[in-house]
Structures are given as structure tokens and as C-alpha cells.
Amino acid sequence: NTHLPKITIIGAGASGLFCASLLGQQGFDVTVIDNGKKPGRKILMSGGGYCNFTNLNIDSQHYLSQNPHFCKSALKRFSQWDFIELVQRHDIAYHEKELGQLFCNEGAQSIVAMLLAECQSGQVNFSMQTELLDVFATSSGFKLTTTKGMIYTDKLIIATGGLSMPKLGTTPIGYKIAESFSVPIVPVRAGLVPFTLQPTLRDHLAKLTGIAIEAEVAVKQQCFKGNILFTHRGISGPAILQLSNYWQMGETIHINLLPNIDLPTFFIEQRDQAANQQLKTVLAKLLPKRLIDCLIQLQMIVDLPLKQLNIKQQQSLITALTDWQITPNGTEGYRTAEVTLGGVDTNYLSSKTMAVKNEPNLYFIGEVVDVTGWLGGYNFQWAWSSAFACASELVTS
Ligand code: FAD
């Protein structure tokens, strides 16, 4: 249709593919440009290869942004139920793992195949192994410089994602384009990422590598319950990844190693059973032995017979176990992060259409925008919802 504008989408990731399929199916001339060999590389790696494509409990409170209201409209207009319906229409089998997280039964490839089938039915064009280098405004649209030459387009949708997992070919071009059109960037940093520790503590805790326990972790007012995992570099696990989104350099995190136990009652029961037991033996009923040894070495716990434990000592023992305070010396950074916090400042975008307020033919969708979700399918849902908002605007305008 020659009357419809030519649309170019940068990024064949989650948001770019979905947006392309919606627009293609409405008859637009859509081209997706991506620097990789194959579309949807991050989707293929996601959710341990099974793609946690959404969450049953999508809520704006599970997203971080300088403007916490920005994501609401898009999430409402294309919700988790809408994406689930699409998945069902493609006969993709899925299951809920925990906390409302939905994963594919057969692997992440089924989501990529679904998106590509949707793109195919919209006759979307692809230009793979093509890197966008620069964008210039023209009188009627944009001129794009790419590694495969110049491209002219009426509408430009930036879906270039974040900076996490650099080996997947991430680039900061989205942020650069925003700035060149006077749209500021909220400072970016790695999110959903393990913590690293200062060397002495790291070496102590390295003995615990591979141990996972259910804990409650907190920083400031934010608290998450779930597994924490000791690694040879520091601490990881779902609860820690969640916490990393809220942590700033220099802040102390609080770990409750026994969130499900009433410790004073437990010690009374143990004293009644056998007051001669060593504390170490008693604690081994609750926590891995290696962890207890480590806490003793760190002088957080003193091992003595239970009957010698006085009230004051018991109180400080309980504090050590329920409020272990650690100050990480950093995170593992983009190399292992699942997302990038910060990004295109939402104050400069329309929350209904994802268009730049002063540049109505330019759109930003997905992770490049300053909207970051919790672990658990929230980031993909943002990719789907923001892509839908953008596509709906172009269809109706
Ligand atoms: P992306 O999917 O990252 O796509 C961006 C695309 O743009 C890429 O293909 C990139 O190559 C391309 N690009 C970048 N720069 C250029 C350029 N200059 N020229 C051309 N092309 C360019 N989220 C969940 O919700 N559930 C999960 O289970 C989950 N698991 C994850 C596991 C891992 C290991 C990682 C790293 C992330 C995971 N995420 C998960 C996060 C999720 O993958 C992202 O939030 C989501 O992919 C963002 O979609 P997007 O379309 O914005 O960007």
C-alpha cells in the first residue's frame, strides 16, 4: 500500500519482532534491522532456555522507572492475558513455575518461532547482520546510516534493548539516538545481577559455592524472599537478583537466613530435648553445616554447649542469623546482568504511544526505555506491551 508510511524498526528482539508483526499485518511496509545473524537471540537464552514470557501477576509495582506511572497504560492495553492468548493460539504448551512465572514447555524457540510466523503473515522484511550507526532527521522522516548502506524511512522505531550480555551484540545506539534528538537518558546500570564481595569475605564465602538456601533479603524498604546462592565470586540466586535492582553502590544488604523459623521457640525446644548439645549441632538442623562452619569462622557465631548460651548471647546469635549485614563491593556488571536499569527518559515519551513528544515519527519501545521489571517474566511483558502501544498508535494515526 503506497499510501501507508514506510516503517523501520531497529532490533529484532522481543519488542521489535512483536511490533513488526502487528504493523505488518495491518499492511504497513515494515523492515526490521538487526546486527545479529538470527532474530530473537535474547529470547532464546531467556529463562534458562525456556523463556519466562510473562507473569500472571503483572502490576506496575513490579517495575522500576523514574516515573512509576509511565508503564501503566501500555500494560493495561496489552496485558499478560493478551499475550497468553497469542501463545495459546499458536498451541505453545506452557506451565507456571512459581510466583506466577510462565515458561514454555518445549523451549524458548517456540516463542521466537511464533513471533517469526506472525511477522511472516505480515510480510515483514528483515535486514540481518546490519548495524545501525547513526540517524539524521530529514524533512519527511529519517536517514539511517548502517553497515550495509543508507536507508530512508518515514517512521523509526528504536527497539535496541539494553546493554546486558554484551556477547549478544548489544550496542548503546538507542541511547545515542535519544540524546541526538534532545531526549535525556536516565543513567544506566546493570540490573538483575549477582553481587560481588570484598576479597576477604569473598574468600571466606567461596567455601560455600553451590549452596542455595531460602532466605529473605532486604535493602532500604525493599524486601524479597526466595533462594540465595553462594558462588565463587559472591552471592546470586533469584532473591539477590531482585534486590540488585534496588541496590546502590555502598549500601548494606540485610539477609535473614531463617525467615520461616521462630528461633526463640526453637532454642527452648532444643534445650528441652538435650541441653548438652553443641550449638553447631543444633544449628545444623536448620542450615547447611558448611554455612554454620563459615559463620563460626567469621566470628558471627560462637560454638558452645546449648546450656551455656545465655540470654544475651542467644539474642546476638538470633541477630546474626536473621540480620546478617553485608556490603557488596559491586555487581558482576553487564556481563551477567539480565537487564539494564535506566534508559530513555519517560518524561519525553508519550505513555500511550511510546512516541517522542517533540519528534512524533520517532518511537522507543522495550528495554531501551527507562522501565525495568522484576525477575519473573516482567521484562518480556514490558517488551510486548510497549510494542503493542506503539503499533496501535501507528495503525490509528
Ligand atoms: P532485545 O530483545 O535485547 O533486542 C534488541 C535487539 O537490538 C538485539 O537483537 C540487538 O542485537 C539489536 N541491536 C542492538 N543494537 C543494534 C544496532 N546498533 N543495530 C542493529 N541492531 C541492534 N526477561 C523476562 O521477562 N523473562 C526471562 O525469562 C528473561 N530471561 C533473560 C535471560 C537472560 C540471559 C537475559 C540477558 C535477559 C533475560 N530477560 C528476561 C530480559 C529480556 O530478555 C529483555 O528484557 C528483553 O529481551 C528486552 O527486549 P527488547 O526488544 O527491548 O531488546
Side-chain angles (χ1 to χ4, degrees), residues 11 13 15 34-35 41 46-47 52 132 165 171 173 338 367 377 380:
S15 62
D34 194 284
N35 56 359
R41 284 177 296 171
S46 69
N52 179 192
L132 177 70
M165 295 261 165
T171 78
I173 191 76
E338 274 198 18
E367 198 181 314
F380 277 137

Side-chain angles (χ1 to χ4, degrees), residues 10-16 33-36 38 40-43 45-48 51-54 103 130-133 159-162 164-165 168-173 337-339 365-368 374 376-381 383:
I10 315 298
S15 62
I33 288 174
D34 194 284
N35 56 359
K38 287 188 180 158
R41 284 177 296 171
K42 233 173 226 180
I43 304 174
M45 287 199 62
S46 69
C51 186
N52 179 192
F53 55 83
T54 192
F103 287 79
T130 308
E131 184 168 338
L132 177 70
L133 301 172
T160 45
S164 55
M165 295 261 165
L168 291 182
T170 58
T171 78
I173 191 76
E338 274 198 18
V339 285
I365 58 173
E367 198 181 314
V368 73
W374 283 11
Y378 296 95
N379 286 294
F380 277 137
Q381 186 58 45

Side-chain angles (χ1 to χ4, degrees), residues 33-223:
I33 288 174
D34 194 284
N35 56 359
K37 259 194 202 146
K38 287 188 180 158
R41 284 177 296 171
K42 233 173 226 180
I43 304 174
L44 292 173
M45 287 199 62
S46 69
Y50 288 88
C51 186
N52 179 192
F53 55 83
T54 192
N55 194 294
L56 296 174
N57 310 315
I58 296 293
D59 184 298
S60 62
Q61 286 179 358
H62 299 155
Y63 290 88
L64 294 90
S65 171
Q66 228 172 45
N67 175 1
H69 304 294
F70 182 82
C71 63
K72 287 183 182 172
S73 163
L75 291 173
K76 208 160 123 194
R77 281 163 68 211
F78 188 84
S79 70
Q80 67 274 39
W81 312 114
D82 295 311
F83 195 77
I84 291 168
E85 196 191 295
L86 179 66
V87 167
Q88 286 173 343
R89 222 188 307 137
H90 283 257
D91 286 326
I92 296 173
Y94 63 90
H95 62 278
E96 181 187 347
K97 201 169 164 194
E98 53 179 353
L99 306 167
Q101 301 168 1
L102 301 188
F103 287 79
C104 301
N105 290 1
E106 306 287 341
Q109 177 57 38
S110 36
I111 295 292
V112 176
M114 174 188 87
L115 293 168
L116 290 179
E118 290 286 318
C119 281
Q120 201 173 14
S121 77
Q123 297 183 320
V124 172
N125 306 302
F126 283 89
S127 180
M128 300 305 294
Q129 292 181 286
T130 308
E131 184 168 338
L132 177 70
L133 301 172
D134 220 338
V135 175
F136 305 92
T138 63
S139 55
S140 62
F142 304 94
K143 181 176 92 173
L144 316 180
T145 318
T146 78
T147 47
K148 288 200 178 153
M150 219 73 98
I151 295 170
Y152 290 87
T153 188
D154 301 311
K155 309 262 182 190
L156 179 60
I157 301 171
I158 307 295
T160 45
L163 298 173
S164 55
M165 295 261 165
K167 63 171 188 248
L168 291 182
T170 58
T171 78
I173 191 76
Y175 310 126
K176 205 177 125 191
I177 296 166
E179 281 176 331
S180 75
F181 284 93
S182 305
V183 177
I185 300 301
V186 174
V188 291
R189 66 191 165 90
L192 299 179
V193 63
F195 288 128
T196 55
L197 304 169
Q198 50 98 350
T200 322
L201 184 59
R202 183 197 61 206
D203 292 346
H204 265 290
L205 298 188
K207 296 170 201 132
L208 306 178
T209 297
I211 291 183
I213 52 166
E214 201 196 353
E216 201 168 74
V217 295
V219 71
K220 293 168 287 194
Q221 305 306 316
Q222 202 64 43
C223 178

